[in-house]
Amino acid sequence: MPAKPRTYQPQKVRAALATQTRALRAAVDALGTEQLDLPTRLGRWRVRELLAHLAVQLDYVPAHLDDRPQGRAPLDLSGWAAGVATVAPLLDEQARERGAAEFAGDAASVAAAFGRAADALLALLERPEAADPARRFEIRLGSMTLSDMLVTRLVETVVHADDLAAALGPDAFPGSPVSSAFPVSSASRALPAFPHDRQAVAAVTRLLADAFADRTPGGAVELRIPPYAVVQAVEGPRHTRGTPPNVVETDPLTWIRLATGRTDWAAAVDAAEVSASGERSDLRAYLPVLG
């Protein structure tokens, strides 16, 4: 577990979120109508519902930035990661409702709807309030700093961009620079690649690694996700010097997929996407981190 909560540089977060949002918008603009009804790895959601959910996540902050505070308890990123699964039914309902309305038409109308949500967030990122370190934003789970809330938008945009790539197939983003932007395992290179922003992937990797350490405290296992994160977790003898007896290492995208339930632990190990050594290095009982 980290000695103290990790901090994220707000300016870098805003820049990464803007770049990731623009990449998503470009991907949606390129979709054909037939692709909107492709299935996703998210239960009954088609691409339509996935994009509707993303639109909710993009324009939620600008739509509610000036809401009157309700006095909710303070919430940090660790608390958000621990509690976000509890609002999954609400998020599903919102995605279906918006999917049946703004996202029910052809590719041009869906792209326009998604573009409005993207524009709303991009405009917010340019406002002075977005750079105010004291500004707070309330959600059902509690009251966050606005800067932390924007980090959660990075999680949404990175994780669901990967969902979109998986739904569209390996030829969806030809020439994507993702493989050169950050390390991936040889097995992961065969999977669909989205042109993620490097800083966005770094922040999401670190947040999910810290959430894992918070959820599974201890020092028996060292989890390495080069070049972005190293944490110690899992109850048992704590390693203090030399080579740790229990080491798990993987690349950033594989870790994000494991931590969010997109990839099965055993399958990732079998595919050499994860290296695990030591008798306590099997992490399947502790995954996913986000429900």
Side-chain angles (χ1 to χ4, degrees):
M1 177 185 295
K4 60 181 180 179
R6 193 188 301 271
T7 58
Y8 298 84
Q9 296 184 35
Q11 185 174 2
K12 287 186 176 181
V13 168
R14 296 194 301 274
L17 184 54
T19 302
Q20 189 75 6
T21 299
R22 293 189 183 101
L24 275 165
R25 182 173 187 173
V28 175
D29 285 345
L31 293 177
T33 299
E34 69 284 353
Q35 291 174 297
L36 298 174
D37 292 313
L38 290 172
T40 72
R41 57 192 180 187
L42 302 174
R44 294 181 294 171
W45 283 8
R46 300 166 297 171
V47 169
R48 290 181 188 277
E49 286 76 28
L50 171 59
L51 297 181
H53 171 72
L54 263 170
V56 170
Q57 302 310 307
L58 293 179
D59 65 16
Y60 186 83
V61 176
H64 296 279
L65 182 64
D66 297 319
D67 287 0
R68 184 184 299 274
Q70 300 298 309
R72 287 177 163 67
L75 180 72
D76 60 13
L77 287 169
S78 176
W80 175 83
V84 69
T86 64
V87 297
L90 173 63
L91 297 177
D92 179 66
E93 179 182 353
Q94 291 174 336
R96 292 182 182 280
E97 288 179 355
R98 196 153 178 177
E102 293 177 75
F103 289 80
D106 61 11
S109 66
V110 167
F114 191 87
R116 289 191 292 271
D119 284 344
L121 179 60
L122 291 170
L124 167 69
L125 296 176
E126 297 296 326
R127 290 172 56 180
E129 296 96 318
D132 182 356
R135 188 66 181 252
R136 302 197 70 84
F137 188 87
E138 289 194 0
I139 58 177
R140 286 175 178 264
L141 299 175
S143 173
M144 309 185 76
T145 63
L146 180 57
S147 57
D148 276 355
M149 185 64 188
L150 295 179
V151 176
T152 73
R153 301 307 86 182
L154 283 179
V155 176
E156 296 288 346
T157 54
V158 168
V159 171
H160 291 310
D162 194 51
D163 290 332
L164 179 61
L168 297 180
D171 298 324
F173 303 102
S176 167
V178 66
S179 61
S180 61
F182 44 84
V184 295
S185 67
S186 58
S188 290
R189 291 181 191 277
L191 297 175
F194 182 88
H196 296 285
D197 177 81
R198 180 187 178 95
Q199 291 295 331
V201 172
V204 175
T205 300
R206 291 166 181 150
L207 187 152
L208 293 174
D210 291 346
F212 172 73
D214 288 339
R215 179 173 173 173
T216 317
V221 177
E222 185 165 283
L223 171 63
R224 301 172 178 174
I225 312 146
Y228 300 136
V230 177
V231 297
Q232 291 193 350
V234 183
E235 186 175 7
R238 180 176 292 274
H239 165 70
T240 57
R241 48 188 306 191
T243 302
N246 303 286
V247 177
V248 173
E249 184 167 328
T250 188
D251 64 87
L253 277 183
T254 297
W255 170 244
I256 290 169
R257 292 163 182 159
L258 285 166
T260 59
R262 270 64 175 178
T263 293
D264 175 74
W265 170 264
V269 172
D270 289 345
E273 295 172 352
V274 173
S275 170
S277 60
E279 62 180 15
R280 296 176 183 267
S281 64
D282 189 329
L283 303 184
R284 78 185 75 200
Y286 313 116
L287 297 171
V289 176
L290 299 185

